[in-house]
Amino acid sequence: MTTLRIDQVLPSFAKYDAIGHDAFLIQKLLKERGFESGIYAYEATHSPEAQMYEYYKPQDPASDLLIHHFSIGSSLSLALEKVKSFKITRFHNITPHHFFSHPSMIYTRSQCLKGQSQIPFVRSITDYALPASIFNGKEFGFNREDRQSVLPVLKNYDELSSLAIDSSFASRFAQTGKKTLLFVGRMIPHKSQHDLLFLLFLIKKYVDSQTQLVLVGGYDSYYKKDMLRNLAADYNLSWQDDPLDQSFAADVLHFSHLSPNQLASVYHCSHLFVCMSEHEGFGVPLIEAMSFGLPVIAHACSAVTETCGNGGILVDKANWVHMLKQVERLFKEPSYMTALSEKSSKRAKEFSWNQLVCIFDDFLEKLLKVHTAAVRKVDLL
Amino acid sequence: MNLTQDHEKTINQLAAEFKNKKKHLGLDFSSAMSSDQNTSFMSEHVMLLTKEANLLAPLSFSKNGKGGIFGYFVKKAFYKFSRLMIKFGFVHQQNFNDLTVVLAHSVMMLEERLIALELKNKQQKERVEKKDERV
């Protein structure tokens, strides 16, 4: 019996972004289960783990099954029509283009628009859907339960929380004596860091003046330079960019890049993870925060609601008073903080590596059954 | 400090001011279309654009065979132009944003066609060279 080949293809590949890492772990699991598996990038690859697909002349790499990671508009989606393999669409969601209204973001806006317009086409050439959340599944609209599985974005969340803490980070956070709010995510409008600045302003004014906000995330766009910095100044909030060798005295600390140990230290030293994001296809940082037992307050929208589950407090960010009351209670009642922290850890366990591997195996079993039936049908014809 | 009713009133006032500020900065997304409406509306829009871009694509504006450079300069020039138009108040920001998306998409389609043509030419050249070698 010949070994099945299950390949993956993405518009571009970088091993350390969430989607690239997801593809890398899928490949690892497939190889461990005896399948041949390669990763192909259509437009660019930034890691030796992926090979290039030839531009505009997609050579079928003789994959029996091909997993297409779909998260942005790309010519790849159209080129796949010619590929004869059994196609699985790993739908990571496409951010609605209206979040990128600034002229400097026309390229991103245009790519998202293109992606949204490609959904019906990609759906029509899909044999099996593999969304990263129930929300993504609905957005993709495949509507065939027998040919669909939900597989959360793969990541070894336990690994991050078991990393050694950077002592210099820990001591500098301790020196400030402040309560620390944390958010991890790219500096981009739909992640709504601007709402976090306003929340910090309110907390400092009405709950505890000794509070600071830590933002971790790259992408040095107009949004950070022209908007967030000005907004912080309007609300009298001091701002520090990448204070890797300085004290953490400012009201807002922004880290564009952190090593895994430094990121683990930031999670470890924070008191509360706050997410005001308006659109998430899954929400990897929510699970990361929960794996550190960090209490979570998040704006209930898109996939945030299902990822957070009952592990955090879901709020409507239009209701600032309610949000502030929740923060006040957390800061003033240690027992409430502990209870939420326990809920958070419990929820993270549902995304532990062992659990994710079980979900992956269930998906693989269902997929292979569907694939075998499809092959048999073709043979009979 | 416990939040009193007076505090709540002030917070709501501050929140209203913040909402206006967000509107002014183009960061208030609360009135945006739902994603379903958005997708169907944009699908039709993009179908039309694709048609237009495909009609234009054979007119190769490629400079030294590099389609990407053309696209890059068009985008750069259009960005500068849009900033000036908004600065002098000729066009409202939102209208311009929609126009930029329309144009950016057309340019992207053009770029893709140009890259495809370039690749086709390259392959033809290679085939001819191989033929010559055999001769």
Side-chain angles (χ1 to χ4, degrees), chain A residues 81-295:
Chain A
E81 191 184 12
K82 296 170 197 161
V83 177
K84 287 178 187 124
S85 318
F86 186 90
K87 288 185 263 310
I88 301 136
T89 302
R90 176 95 170 113
F91 187 56
H92 293 275
N93 210 296
I94 290 159
T95 309
H97 70 280
H98 67 254
F99 288 117
F100 309 104
S101 59
H102 194 271
S104 70
M105 301 205 88
I106 54 169
Y107 185 68
T108 314
R109 187 174 163 107
S110 172
Q111 274 189 312
C112 292
L113 184 64
K114 198 174 171 184
Q116 284 162 357
S117 70
Q118 284 175 348
I119 292 177
F121 175 75
V122 175
R123 193 170 53 218
S124 72
I125 58 162
T126 296
D127 296 306
Y128 195 100
L130 185 62
S133 59
I134 299 168
F135 173 78
N136 287 359
K138 280 184 187 156
E139 288 261 300
F140 190 54
F142 194 57
N143 295 334
R144 286 198 60 179
E145 279 310 309
D146 57 325
R147 282 177 174 239
Q148 178 162 305
S149 301
V150 174
L151 177 68
V153 177
L154 292 185
K155 184 164 184 169
N156 194 337
Y157 299 99
D158 321 329
E159 208 172 65
L160 182 67
S161 54
S162 60
L163 284 177
I165 303 299
D166 184 313
S167 56
S168 101
F169 262 59
S171 63
R172 276 181 287 165
F173 272 117
Q175 273 166 16
T176 64
K178 291 179 181 176
K179 294 270 194 313
T180 306
L181 312 178
L182 171 66
F183 177 70
V184 179
R186 278 178 307 153
M187 303 293 262
I188 206 151
H190 68 274
K191 302 271 180 189
S192 300
Q193 282 92 345
H194 49 274
D195 285 326
L196 292 173
L197 292 180
F198 183 61
L199 180 67
L200 176 68
F201 161 74
L202 292 178
I203 292 173
K204 281 175 74 73
K205 195 171 162 82
Y206 294 104
V207 179
D208 187 344
S209 61
Q210 292 300 300
T211 307
Q212 65 179 173
L213 171 68
V214 177
L215 299 172
V216 181
Y219 206 38
D220 203 17
S221 61
Y222 78 96
Y223 176 59
K224 191 194 108 185
K225 280 188 279 192
D226 301 346
M227 294 188 177
L228 293 182
R229 298 288 304 257
N230 292 344
L231 209 58
D234 285 354
Y235 289 112
N236 286 325
L237 301 169
S238 54
W239 180 295
Q240 260 179 306
D241 267 322
D242 291 310
L244 293 172
D245 303 316
Q246 300 154 33
S247 72
F248 293 161
D251 297 318
V252 184
L253 307 175
H254 170 235
F255 297 97
S256 45
H257 298 288
L258 289 177
S259 70
N261 291 79
Q262 287 169 334
L263 180 62
S265 315
V266 172
Y267 274 120
H268 186 77
C269 299
S270 297
H271 297 89
L272 181 62
F273 187 87
V274 208
C275 173
M276 294 290 115
S277 180
E278 300 210 15
H279 185 90
E280 294 290 338
F282 178 68
V284 168
L286 290 165
I287 307 295
E288 284 181 350
M290 287 175 176
S291 69
F292 283 85
L294 200 57

Side-chain angles (χ1 to χ4, degrees), chain B residues 43-104:
Chain B
S43 294
E44 285 170 27
H45 216 59
V46 171
M47 288 282 262
L48 281 173
L49 282 174
T50 312
K51 251 188 194 171
E52 284 163 25
N54 283 342
L55 285 174
L56 284 171
L59 309 168
S60 175
F61 296 103
S62 168
K63 193 186 172 188
N64 301 327
K66 294 211 172 355
I69 290 178
F70 166 72
Y72 172 77
F73 282 116
V74 168
K75 269 190 275 187
K76 190 129 185 142
F78 190 77
Y79 175 63
K80 293 265 179 214
F81 175 66
S82 71
R83 295 308 303 157
L84 282 172
M85 293 293 270
I86 292 162
K87 191 175 174 187
F88 294 113
F90 290 123
V91 185
H92 187 267
Q93 173 94 45
Q94 192 54 49
N95 295 342
F96 221 98
N97 292 342
D98 292 340
L99 189 61
T100 50
V101 170
V102 168
L103 280 171

